């Protein structure tokens, strides 16, 4: 009976997905496009916006998952993201016209963009290392340590930011052969810039790695019951350092995305709370990569909706209320989940072998 | 034993110092091939510490470990595992949200094409569990399994790693007599294969039954060696504790008074939604001890949970001191009903591992005077209280502020018992109250329970130790498949008659209805 009800649920989900997909294709390729509310809900512009808004959120959530699954709370995603954005920007500006060997291979622009990404990843790893040191080596409260990262990144980037610097160019879109020919969907999903593709691929790679690889099994054991992991010879704190650094890199990639793919420039505080919404997406997705993608897409979609509603002037309530939409949805989503999702049991707790159980 | 082969394992001059405690002091120990060495010692004597050192988890302050005559340097358990040492820890080291197979392979994973080969591991687990008759389902999730099953998973975990030297730290504390017998058969099988086993327990009978040699620790030092063929339980007990221990409980005839707890037609379900209790009715009067006997898993756990407010009842009524407490919350039951609860799983329900000893000792009274002052906590009063209980119950700890998780297992249990017994009471619900406690302290706790009874407390005692039930109870109810299959006055009970009831066989002379044998008659 159980198996059947799961099947029914799965079928219902599949049917809903197909329905939405058909609607999307119909709305964008037939006369239905004249219906304002359908266009707001399913129009290409809303969906493109959703994808753009989802990428940094899902990367942020993956960063959180990497850290928390091994037992380290990471509320510093916002700071890691901002540091990554700034690093990407600075590296990009420094190499706007960089005659490098790589430039001969890819062209100056691409080489400089890739260099930006690499530097962002490096800075992200350092932010992760810092978080690891504070919370593992110095046994600081992990919430405080995360807050330190946020304040640190905000302060340093504002101080070092050169307002006259300009990054020239950003990642351009790539169309995936065949898949991008699917009407409407191909445009939205399969014609995008590289970091967007990387983010989507990363979600599925991490999902498999976390639940089906050796690294994933050990990571989860460290986050659930570090003592048990220790007694079978797993170096708990080493896993925690490595995963926190990986988490920092993924968050920094979100920052690089904002600068090198979405906006093209850096602005002070440009992450604008995305790190926190990522945390909500991580929780809403029950610390699963695919779940987090769904949650991030939901939050991204509400942002798109807010945008479309404001543009269309469709509603005549004060725009401030419309602007609240994504945040209200976030709060409701997370509050409604209390007791339904389960955080890794040992997160936030220092582990020492000889500290007893 | 006579031709003295090279020991497979030797600990030389091991000293281990923790902040404020010397857990091991110049300990020497030898383990020969194909033998079962029992390690005895009071709570806090340093048994687990020594084992953790041998297993590479803790690092000795001084001394060295030899495997097959070679000095070895162990940094982590990984090194110990590589040397063929396996250990079943005193507290389960299983990840509750993972499956049996995942737990077993953790740290020694089988990987194919970069992914875990769960199927292969599951096959190996099934194969091992058939070979040793341990019967575990590799795909079950740990948190759904009863404790006895988890213990088997721990044993398979070491077998899976091909351990040649097995350390079993109190594996029988949570097992039923049947399961213990099963474990002993596995141990004998392993010994027959030439493996060596270090076996820790507080149950002297088990030691005499299975061990080839006995080592005793006391206060972190080796107190001596004994031969199981020529020793008696009393000798072992006094060797452990350093004084005579009275192994039987002395108590007077019970004088039951008014009814304190009355349970009528109680039904409840287990975690998986299946029936756990069916139409259970009984009563406990002030001044008597009612023992609940039964093979573990016949509803005792659920019964205690319903009575303490941790589980909802589907039907039936619970009356405590004359007021209806059916499905009342734990706080109302403990504070209004003046009832207390020594839970069977101390880590899950009895204590907060990460709190200090002092804080753990006020978990049931922190919101009352003198520990609460308005919305504040009165720290000095809590510390004073802790100091007194630590002394009275002989909890071995460096001080009241020590992290409770660093106490030895038995001392954690004593801390829980101390907290529960130190409050004015009407009803005491004790589930496995002496789990993991040494004989000296068992004597003390049993006396405390009898004293409570004599002070007019109603006592409900649940234990999988039939000896404990027989020794303490005035009346015994036997549970079988969620029902009370019989009630026997302790004076008329024999091990055999209770054993038959536990197996679900109605004895003919048995009065059919539980109420038929009135208390105190
Ligand atoms: N991790 C730790 N940190 C500090 N002190 C510890 C730690 N582990 C054990 N101790 C202390 O070392 C002493 C020996 O403890 P151990 O756990 O070895 O006792 P044990 O013989 O196994 O007792 P039990 O029978 O109760 O399990 C105790 O006083 C205990 O408080
Ligand atoms: Mg111990």
């Amino acid at each position: 009976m159980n198996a059947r009800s799961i099947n029914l649920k799965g079928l219902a989900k599949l049917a809903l997905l197909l329905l939405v997909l058909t609607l999307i294709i119909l709305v964008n390729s037939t006369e239905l496009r004249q219906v304002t509310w359908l266009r707001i809900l399913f129009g290409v512009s809303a969906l493109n916006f959703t994808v753009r808004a989802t990428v940094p959120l899902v990367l942020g959530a993956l960063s959180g998952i990497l850290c928390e699954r091994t037992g380290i709370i990471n509320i510093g995603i916002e700071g890691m993201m901002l540091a990554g954005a700034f690093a990407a920007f600075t590296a990009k500006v420094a190499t706007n016209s960089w005659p490098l060997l790589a430039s001969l291979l890819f062209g100056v622009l691409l080489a400089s963009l890739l260099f930006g990404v690499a530097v962002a990843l490096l800075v992200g790893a350092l932010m992760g290392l810092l978080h690891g040191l504070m919370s593992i080596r110095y046994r600081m409260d992990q919430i405080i340590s995360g807050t330190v990262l946020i304040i640190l990144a905000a302060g340093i980037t504002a101080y070092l930011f050169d307002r006259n610097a300009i990054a020239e160019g950003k990642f351009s879109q790539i169309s995936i052969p065949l898949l991008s020919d699917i009407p409407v969907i191909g445009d939205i999903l399969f014609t995008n810039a590289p970091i967007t593709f990387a983010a989507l691929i990363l979600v599925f790679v991490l999902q498999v790695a976390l639940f089906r690889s050796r690294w994933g099994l050990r990571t989860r054991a460290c986050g659930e019951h570090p003592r048990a992991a220790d007694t079978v010879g797993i170096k708990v704190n080493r896993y925690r350092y490595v995963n926190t650094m990986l988490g920092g890199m993924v968050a920094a990639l979100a920052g690089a995305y904002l600068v090198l793919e979405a906006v093209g420039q850096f602005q002070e505080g440009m992450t604008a709370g995305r790190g926190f919404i990522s945390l909500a997406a991580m929780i809403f997705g029950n610390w699963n990569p695919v779940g987090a993608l769904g949650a991030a897409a939901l939050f991204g979609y509400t942002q798109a909706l807010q945008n479309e509603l404001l543009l269309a002037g469709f509603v005549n309530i004060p725009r401030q209320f419309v602007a609240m939409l994504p945040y209200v949805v976030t709060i409701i989503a997370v509050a409604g989940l209390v007791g339904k999702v389960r955080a890794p049991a040992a997160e936030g707790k220092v582990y020492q072998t000889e500290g007893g159980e | 034993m006579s031709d003295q082969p090279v020991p497979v394992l030797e600990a030389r001059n091991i000293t281990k110092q923790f902040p404020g405690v010397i857990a091991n002091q110049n300990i020497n120990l030898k383990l020969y091939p194909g033998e079962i060495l029992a390690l005895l010692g009071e709570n806090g004597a340093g048994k687990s510490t020594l084992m953790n050192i041998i297993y590479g988890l803790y690092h000795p302050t001084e001394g060295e470990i030899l495997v097959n005559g070679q000095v070895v340097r162990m940094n982590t358990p990984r090194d110990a595992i590589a040397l063929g040492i396996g250990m079943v820890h005193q507290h389960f080291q299983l990840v509750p949200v993972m499956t049996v197979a995942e737990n077993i392979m953790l740290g020694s994973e089988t990987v194919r094409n970069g992914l875990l080969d769960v199927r292969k591991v599951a096959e190996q687990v099934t194969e091992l569990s058939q070979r040793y008759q341990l019967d575990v389902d590799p795909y079950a999730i740990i948190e759904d399994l009863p404790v006895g099953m988890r213990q088997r998973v721990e044993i398979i975990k070491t077998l899976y790693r091909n351990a040649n030297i097995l350390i079993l730290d109190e594996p029988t504390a949570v097992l039923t007599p049947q399961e213990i017998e099963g474990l002993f058969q596995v141990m004998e099988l392993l010994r027959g294969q030439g493996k060596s086993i270090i076996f820790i327990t507080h149950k002297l009978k088990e030691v005499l039954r299975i061990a080839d040699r006995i080592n005793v620790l006391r206060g972190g030092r080796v107190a001596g060696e004994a031969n199981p063929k020529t020793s008696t339980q009393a000798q072992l007990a006094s060797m452990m504790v350093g004084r005579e221990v009275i192994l039987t409980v002395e108590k007077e005839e019970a004088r039951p008074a008014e009814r304190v707890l009355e349970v009528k037609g109680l039904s409840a379900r287990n975690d998986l939604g299946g029936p756990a209790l069916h139409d259970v009715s009984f009563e406990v009067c002030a001044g008597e001890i009612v023992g609940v006997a039964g093979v573990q898993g016949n509803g005792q756990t659920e019964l205690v949970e319903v009575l303490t407010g941790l589980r909802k009842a589907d039907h039936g009524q619970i009356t405590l001191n004359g007021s209806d407490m059916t499905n009342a919350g734990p706080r109302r039951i403990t504070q209004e009903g003046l009832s207390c609860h020594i839970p069977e799983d101390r880590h899950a329900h009895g204590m907060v591992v990460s709190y200090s000893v002092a804080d753990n000792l006020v978990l049931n009274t922190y919101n009352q005077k003198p520990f609460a002052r308005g919305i504040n906590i009165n720290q000095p009063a809590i510390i004073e209280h802790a100091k007194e209980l630590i002394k009275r119950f002989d909890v071995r700890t460096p001080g009241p502020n020590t992290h409770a998780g660093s106490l030895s297992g038995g001392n954690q249990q004593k801390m829980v018992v101390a907290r529960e017994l130190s409050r004015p009471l009407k009803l005491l619900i004790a589930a496995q109250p002496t789990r993991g406690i040494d004989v000296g302290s068992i004597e003390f706790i049993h006396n405390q329970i009898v004293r409570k009874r004599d002070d007019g407390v109603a006592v409900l005692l649940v234990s999988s130790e039939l000896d404990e039930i027989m020794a303490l109870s005035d009346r015994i109810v036997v549970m079988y498949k969620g029902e009370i299959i019989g009630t026997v006055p302790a004076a008329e009970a024999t091990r055999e008659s209770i054993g038959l009831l536990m197996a679900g066989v109605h004895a003919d002379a048995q009065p059919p209805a539980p109420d038929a044998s009135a208390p105190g008659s």
Side-chain angles (χ1 to χ4, degrees):
Chain A
M1 192 198 114
N2 219 344
R4 247 183 66 199
S5 62
I6 287 167
N7 259 338
L8 280 182
K9 241 172 148 182
L11 277 181
K13 270 189 193 160
L14 197 66
L16 191 71
L17 187 71
L18 283 178
L19 184 77
V20 170
L21 283 181
T22 351
L23 258 176
I24 289 173
I25 295 178
L26 286 178
V27 167
N28 291 294
S29 49
T30 65
E31 286 307 298
L32 279 177
R33 127 181 47 182
Q34 307 301 340
V35 188
T36 321
W37 67 269
L38 275 180
R39 204 180 55 227
I40 289 178
L41 284 179
F42 299 111
V44 169
S45 89
L47 297 175
N48 271 329
F49 191 112
T50 305
V51 173
R52 282 200 305 275
T54 301
V55 172
L57 294 184
V58 76
L59 284 173
L62 293 182
S63 162
I65 290 170
L66 277 165
C67 298
E68 302 209 350
R69 279 284 183 179
T70 128
I72 301 284
I73 297 177
N74 183 9
I75 68 155
I77 300 169
E78 178 85 6
M80 295 172 162
M81 240 187 224
L82 192 62
F86 184 72
F89 175 74
T90 312
K92 174 73 191 74
V93 171
T95 57
N96 270 336
S97 48
W98 211 24
L100 198 76
L101 181 67
S103 330
L104 301 175
L105 298 174
F106 317 121
V108 177
L109 177 60
L110 190 55
S112 151
L113 286 167
L114 289 177
F115 182 67
V117 171
V119 173
L121 292 179
L122 180 70
V123 167
L126 289 176
M127 291 290 275
L129 180 61
L130 181 63
H131 188 43
L133 282 173
M134 287 192 286
S135 43
I136 301 168
R137 180 78 161 273
Y138 298 106
R139 293 180 226 153
M140 215 161 128
D141 184 292
Q142 293 168 14
I143 304 281
I144 308 278
S145 166
T147 313
V148 167
L149 295 187
I150 297 172
I151 298 174
L152 183 74
I156 289 193
T157 57
Y159 177 68
L160 294 178
F161 179 38
D162 172 5
R163 260 151 271 263
N164 300 319
I166 288 180
E168 289 162 12
K170 47 181 190 168
F171 279 118
S172 51
Q173 300 210 318
I174 307 168
S175 294
I176 301 209
L178 294 179
L179 287 175
S180 60
D181 297 336
I182 306 172
V184 191
I185 309 289
D187 274 352
I188 297 165
L189 278 186
F190 300 107
T191 308
N192 275 306
I195 299 182
T196 305
F197 288 128
L200 290 175
I201 294 170
L202 197 57
V203 169
F204 295 99
V205 169
L206 263 187
Q207 180 79 23
V208 173
L210 205 47
F211 294 100
R212 305 203 34 210
S213 80
R214 175 193 319 221
W215 165 84
L217 186 72
R218 294 182 176 188
T219 292
R220 286 183 293 132
C222 293
E224 292 288 345
H225 195 331
R227 178 74 170 196
D230 197 3
T231 58
V232 291
I234 294 169
K235 295 198 168 120
V236 174
N237 285 335
R238 185 190 289 177
Y239 266 77
R240 290 187 166 177
Y241 272 118
V242 168
N243 286 345
T244 311
M245 287 172 73
L246 288 174
M249 291 168 77
V250 175
L253 184 63
Y257 166 85
L258 293 176
V259 168
L260 303 176
E261 198 163 295
V263 180
Q265 299 298 331
F266 180 80
Q267 294 143 18
E268 268 177 46
M270 78 182 301
T271 45
R274 286 185 181 85
F276 294 106
I277 299 189
S278 302
L279 273 179
M282 167 191 80
I283 297 170
F284 194 36
N286 200 6
W287 286 264
N288 284 344
V290 170
L293 174 63
L298 173 70
F299 297 155
Y301 181 64
T302 52
Q303 284 176 16
L305 221 54
Q306 165 217 5
N307 194 48
E308 295 293 311
L309 285 171
L310 291 179
L311 280 181
F314 186 60
V315 280
N316 40 14
I317 49 173
R319 52 184 299 132
Q320 284 80 358
F321 283 95
V322 180
M324 275 163 49
L325 190 64
Y327 304 99
V328 172
V329 169
T330 310
I331 290 173
I332 293 176
V334 174
L337 274 176
V338 176
K340 295 204 186 85
V341 292
R342 179 144 97 171
E347 75 170 13
K349 296 192 192 131
V350 177
Y351 180 72
Q352 282 173 286
T353 299
E354 302 207 350
E357 293 177 43
Chain B
M1 260 188 288
S2 49
D3 44 292
Q4 293 294 353
V6 184
V8 275
L9 180 79
E10 184 177 352
R12 268 192 203 158
N13 265 322
I14 298 286
T15 296
K16 175 69 191 178
Q17 215 160 351
F18 287 115
V21 207
I22 301 181
N24 288 166
Q25 219 168 340
N26 293 321
I27 292 189
N28 287 295
L29 174 138
K30 284 182 182 154
L31 177 70
Y32 294 101
E35 74 164 348
I36 297 178
L37 171 70
L39 197 57
L40 290 179
E42 292 182 273
N43 296 128
K47 304 178 297 292
S48 298
T49 304
L50 181 63
M51 295 304 111
N52 280 327
I53 289 172
I54 291 174
Y55 188 60
L57 195 61
Y58 290 177
H59 301 281
T61 318
E62 265 169 53
E64 53 195 16
I65 303 288
L66 288 80
V67 173
N68 295 323
Q70 305 277 312
V71 176
V72 290
R73 171 97 199 113
M74 284 183 286
N75 288 316
T76 70
R78 178 156 299 253
D79 303 323
I81 294 167
L83 289 165
I85 304 176
M87 175 158 172
V88 172
H89 296 262
Q90 186 170 3
H91 297 115
F92 295 131
Q93 300 302 337
L94 300 169
V95 184
V97 295
M98 291 185 183
T99 64
V100 169
E102 283 178 321
N103 267 288
I104 287 172
M105 73 167 126
L106 183 64
S108 323
E109 299 84 353
T110 310
V111 172
R112 213 180 62 191
N113 303 330
L115 295 181
L116 298 173
D117 196 347
V118 181
R119 175 106 63 79
K120 173 118 174 276
V121 174
E123 272 168 23
Q124 283 168 313
V125 171
T126 312
E127 203 260 318
L128 275 174
S129 77
Q130 273 163 3
R131 174 138 48 104
Y132 294 100
Q133 297 177 1
L134 289 165
D135 184 34
V136 299
D137 168 13
Y139 294 106
I141 307 274
I142 296 294
E143 60 188 350
D144 297 337
L145 296 179
V147 282
M149 200 63 106
R150 292 187 202 189
Q151 191 70 66
R152 297 183 194 177
V153 177
E154 285 283 23
I155 292 165
I156 296 186
K157 219 163 116 183
T158 57
L159 297 177
Y160 179 81
R161 287 167 171 69
N162 251 327
N164 193 33
I165 300 167
L166 272 87
I167 300 171
L168 308 177
D169 193 351
E170 291 191 36
T172 57
V174 296
L175 298 184
T176 61
Q178 288 81 350
E179 287 172 323
I180 291 173
E181 199 40 50
L183 174 67
F184 285 169
Q185 278 162 16
V186 173
M187 284 166 68
E188 279 165 348
L189 204 63
L190 291 169
R191 173 174 59 189
Q193 296 169 358
K195 299 188 195 253
S196 313
I197 300 175
I198 300 180
F199 173 57
I200 297 178
T201 183
H202 288 293
K203 303 180 194 171
L204 302 175
K205 212 166 48 176
E206 293 177 356
V207 174
L208 296 179
R209 148 92 171 76
I210 190 90
D212 299 315
R213 219 151 49 83
I214 303 171
N215 274 9
V216 182
L217 296 188
R218 190 162 77 227
R221 296 168 179 273
V222 178
E225 191 170 327
N227 184 342
K229 294 199 185 67
T230 56
S231 313
T232 64
Q233 293 197 33
Q235 280 168 345
L236 292 178
S238 64
M239 211 166 156
M240 275 168 68
V241 185
R243 64 174 166 88
E244 287 287 312
V245 179
I246 301 157
L247 293 169
T248 52
V249 185
E250 285 172 22
K251 64 183 172 88
E252 291 167 13
E253 188 77 16
R255 282 188 301 274
E258 82 280 2
R259 223 180 257 164
V260 172
L261 173 72
E262 191 178 358
V263 175
K264 262 199 203 134
L266 198 67
S267 301
R269 271 167 295 159
N270 61 21
D271 286 339
L272 304 175
L277 292 178
H278 179 64
D279 197 15
V280 170
S281 305
F282 66 95
E283 54 187 42
V284 188
C285 296
E288 71 165 346
I289 300 177
V290 174
V292 179
V295 176
Q296 218 168 16
N298 277 282
Q300 300 97 312
T301 306
E302 287 82 2
L303 175 64
V304 168
E305 285 177 354
V306 172
L307 292 179
T308 51
L310 295 174
R311 181 180 295 274
K312 290 268 170 277
D314 291 342
H315 297 287
Q317 200 182 18
I318 300 170
T319 316
L320 191 53
N321 304 322
S323 42
D324 182 18
M325 289 276 178
T326 319
N327 290 338
R331 163 146 319 164
R332 201 176 144 222
I333 293 177
T334 46
Q335 300 199 341
E336 222 176 284
L338 289 178
S339 131
C340 81
H341 175 207
I342 299 170
E344 63 169 6
D345 184 345
R346 57 177 170 258
H347 275 189
H349 298 296
M351 59 187 283
V352 182
V353 177
S354 56
Y355 281 11
S356 69
V357 173
D359 288 349
N360 267 293
L361 285 171
V362 292
L363 284 182
N364 54 354
T365 43
Y366 71 93
N367 58 347
Q368 294 165 8
K369 278 185 181 165
F371 310 120
R373 231 178 1 205
I375 57 167
N376 283 321
I377 285 289
N378 182 357
Q379 203 60 35
I382 291 178
I383 299 289
E384 264 323 297
H385 172 76
K387 281 189 182 150
E388 195 226 306
L389 288 186
I390 288 170
K391 207 160 123 225
R392 185 141 69 88
F393 285 81
D394 187 30
V395 181
R396 308 272 167 94
T397 165
N401 289 320
T402 303
H403 166 62
S406 77
L407 296 193
S408 81
N411 281 301
Q412 294 176 8
Q413 182 74 17
K414 286 199 250 174
M415 175 185 77
V416 174
V417 173
R419 178 186 69 222
E420 296 300 326
L421 293 187
S422 64
R423 207 166 57 98
L425 286 182
K426 286 291 233 180
L427 173 66
L428 163 60
I429 298 176
Q432 326 285 1
T434 53
R435 169 174 291 179
I437 290 191
D438 68 48
V439 281
S441 309
I442 287 181
E443 177 192 18
F444 174 75
I445 288 177
H446 281 174
N447 284 334
Q448 289 288 318
I449 292 178
V450 171
R451 205 134 93 229
K452 284 279 165 201
R453 179 200 75 167
D454 293 343
D455 292 346
V457 174
V459 181
L460 184 71
L461 170 75
V462 180
S463 177
S464 54
E465 278 310 302
L466 196 47
D467 291 331
E468 182 165 51
I469 296 269
M470 303 274 290
L472 284 178
S473 312
D474 302 311
R475 207 148 52 86
I476 300 172
V477 299
V478 184
M479 290 194 69
Y480 180 72
K481 294 207 167 152
E483 295 183 44
I484 291 186
I485 184 173
T487 305
V488 194
E492 294 165 25
T494 58
R495 285 188 72 88
E496 290 66 38
S497 65
I498 301 288
L500 279 178
L501 284 172
M502 283 169 62
V505 183
H506 273 281
D508 290 330
Q510 218 50 57
D515 299 83
S517 72
S521 57

